[in-house]
Amino acid sequence: MTADPDTDTPPARLRPRQRLGVGAVIVLVLVAFAVTVGIGIFRGATGAETVTAAPSPSGEQTAVPAAGVYVHVAGAVRAAGLYRLEVGDRVADAIARAGGFADDAARDGVNLARTVTDGEQIVVPVVGAEAPAAAGGGTPASGPLDLNTATREQLDELPRIGPALADRILAWRDENGRFTSVDDLGSVPGIGDKMLANLRDLVRV
């Protein structure tokens, strides 16, 4: 019998074509993989550059100290009370924070130009009541303050002398007996040459 060429196709004729097709598919897969990897590397490199460039040195956060002093404003003012002022503020600033002078205030009874200190009390006298106010705090009208007889309240009224420094002056006096000279104030902790110079005309022994 003779084999019909249209119906009996030898299997060997399909093998080269199948191999060629499989090889083409493999090549296409490898090319696609290579392209994908290349794009990924490119994007990764680009992303790395962005991340590196994005952060900027953040400015150091400086703690702005809310430095200030607290003073008690009392007497003939419109709103007596405890107020916070900035370092270097003066008595005029403290009275302004307290609403200003009252109508019956003896305005000449306070030194508006004096720098306030932490913890001090500013008492604005009433007209006609300067003498009673002086009894508690000492006034320039009575002359320089005697360091050996001054009370804590009287020392507190001196410029830049607050309650804490007044206590140190009294402690020094208790430990050493008495002040023999105004210069002895320089031995009190917290009183330097500049403060001593400001106090020299206001105190005596």
Side-chain angles (χ1 to χ4, degrees), residues 40-143:
I41 294 175
F42 175 76
R43 288 180 178 176
T46 304
E49 291 178 0
T50 303
V51 171
T52 302
S56 59
S58 59
E60 294 182 0
Q61 186 177 6
T62 55
V64 179
V69 295
Y70 288 87
V71 297
H72 177 204
V73 185
V77 292
R78 298 189 184 278
L82 180 67
Y83 293 95
R84 179 185 179 279
L85 301 175
E86 299 299 326
V87 175
D89 280 355
R90 301 181 183 275
V91 172
D93 299 309
I95 293 176
R97 289 292 305 277
F101 288 110
D103 294 337
D104 57 350
R107 305 191 179 198
D108 294 336
V110 291
N111 179 6
L112 297 177
R114 179 173 64 81
T115 303
V116 299
T117 57
D118 185 47
E120 75 167 292
Q121 182 185 58
I122 300 171
V123 179
V124 178
V126 177
V127 173
E130 291 87 353
T139 62
S142 62

Side-chain angles (χ1 to χ4, degrees), residues 12 37 41 44 46 59 62 76 78 88 96 111 145 152-153 159 161 163 166 186 196:
V37 173
I41 294 175
T46 304
T62 55
R78 298 189 184 278
N111 179 6
L145 183 65
R152 182 177 186 270
E153 290 75 17
I161 301 293
L196 178 59

Side-chain angles (χ1 to χ4, degrees), residues 139-159:
T139 62
S142 62
L145 183 65
D146 191 334
L147 292 174
N148 292 311
T149 59
T151 64
R152 182 177 186 270
E153 290 75 17
Q154 289 174 321
L155 292 170
D156 188 12
E157 289 297 319
L158 292 172

